[in-house]
Amino acid sequence: MSVWGKVIGGVTGFALGGPLGAILGMIAGHAVDRSQGQAAERLVHWGQDHYAMDREQRQVAFSVAVIVLGAKLAKVDGTVTRAEVNAFKETFHIPAEAVADVGRIFNEARHEATGFEPYARQIADMFVHEPRVLEELLGGLFYVAKADGAVSRAEKTFIRAVAQIFGFDERTFNRILASHIGTTGDMDPYAVLGLGRTASDADIKKTYRRLIRENHPDVLIAQGMPPEFVAIANEKMAAINAAYDCIEKERGLR
């Protein structure tokens, strides 16, 4: 069963607890208090059991977080374009039979009063030891944001705020940013690797190899990223490879 079938099934969601589980409970027809205070309270009482969650639960949580945070992102400019909707459905491999239910989660999250922060905190807590998975979630937000042609300043500010909750500093965020929207002719290959232009050849090779190893789709899937999101991981790997190729040619590395 695909992750979307598990999301719509809802059973796994109840085990998640917190605001992410509450959203799934709502879709399954359960009463949910939608106030920000109650969402925050659910997060506090969620506890530390997330360390014992299995891969299926983590994949569901990741998927719901992308939907919910994507919906909150859509509120930044007040509009949801057809390009954004199509990008979401196609990139994340949502089957036709699940589109309507995923849309219901998106719309509920978009219109509810709760801000994005409780959801971001819950997913950050769940993947505290898998920062690369959190990077892929940010990549999902970038992918949707740029579907209409460009990432606006407001959208970038929103994603930066999510990144801060995830525990990423400004330097790391700039690396993530460069890997997702710096893939045109003005790409700074050093920024994609998170390095300065004065970095030594040895540091460049070491960093490149580490990033390739840590961002390999198989590694990310083992850590809780659903296979349906592999397109984002592949795009990031391509950006890392392109950046290294550029530096390799510039410096004559072998």
Side-chain angles (χ1 to χ4, degrees):
M1 178 185 294
S2 77
V3 72
W4 300 115
K6 299 169 187 174
V7 167
I8 302 309
V11 176
T12 303
F14 304 141
L16 295 178
L20 292 175
I23 282 283
L24 290 186
M26 176 277 302
I27 292 300
H30 292 254
V32 177
D33 185 333
R34 302 174 187 173
S35 71
Q36 185 169 0
Q38 288 296 323
E41 183 178 358
R42 284 193 295 270
L43 181 61
V44 169
H45 292 298
W46 184 47
Q48 301 300 316
D49 292 340
H50 56 284
Y51 292 116
M53 299 185 81
D54 61 27
R55 182 187 300 184
E56 177 178 291
Q57 291 170 325
R58 291 157 74 82
Q59 290 180 345
V60 168
F62 181 102
S63 304
V64 177
V66 170
I67 299 172
V68 172
L69 293 176
K72 301 299 185 182
L73 175 63
K75 294 178 66 173
V76 169
D77 57 16
T79 61
V80 181
T81 68
R82 176 56 56 184
E84 290 171 325
V85 173
N86 289 339
F88 196 96
K89 290 191 297 184
E90 295 170 8
T91 303
F92 305 142
H93 305 288
I94 303 175
E97 63 271 18
V99 168
D101 286 317
V102 170
R104 285 166 56 202
I105 300 174
F106 184 95
N107 288 328
E108 174 65 20
R110 186 176 174 221
H111 295 298
E112 69 161 3
T114 306
F116 71 90
E117 293 88 350
Y119 301 99
R121 292 189 189 107
Q122 181 177 358
I123 203 72
D125 202 21
M126 182 178 297
F127 290 100
V128 65
H129 297 304
E130 292 84 23
R132 299 302 179 191
V133 175
L134 295 176
E135 285 194 26
E136 293 308 307
L137 200 154
L138 293 178
L141 297 182
F142 274 122
Y143 202 94
V144 173
K146 68 184 181 182
D148 57 358
V151 179
S152 70
R153 179 177 296 180
E155 289 171 330
K156 192 182 299 183
T157 298
F158 175 92
I159 299 175
R160 176 181 278 108
V162 174
Q164 289 174 343
I165 291 175
F166 285 176
F168 297 125
D169 59 23
E170 189 66 12
R171 179 176 179 178
T172 302
F173 175 76
N174 286 335
R175 174 178 59 75
I176 298 169
L177 176 68
S179 68
H180 288 290
I181 67 173
T183 55
T184 58
D186 61 352
M187 176 188 71
D188 180 352
Y190 292 90
V192 174
L193 299 186
L195 297 170
R197 289 187 170 272
T198 59
S200 68
D201 291 352
D203 282 343
I204 289 171
K205 292 179 180 179
K206 180 180 179 181
T207 298
Y208 166 71
R209 290 166 183 157
R210 175 176 57 79
L211 289 174
I212 288 296
R213 182 177 65 254
E214 293 176 348
N215 289 282
H216 193 284
D218 290 346
V219 173
L220 296 171
I221 290 171
Q223 293 177 348
M225 184 191 77
E228 287 79 1
F229 289 77
V230 72
I232 302 300
N234 286 337
E235 181 184 76
K236 186 174 181 183
M237 287 277 283
I240 294 170
N241 280 319
Y244 183 74
D245 286 346
C246 183
I247 296 173
E248 187 177 41
K249 292 176 181 177
E250 175 187 304
R251 296 195 176 200
L253 300 178
R254 292 184 181 276

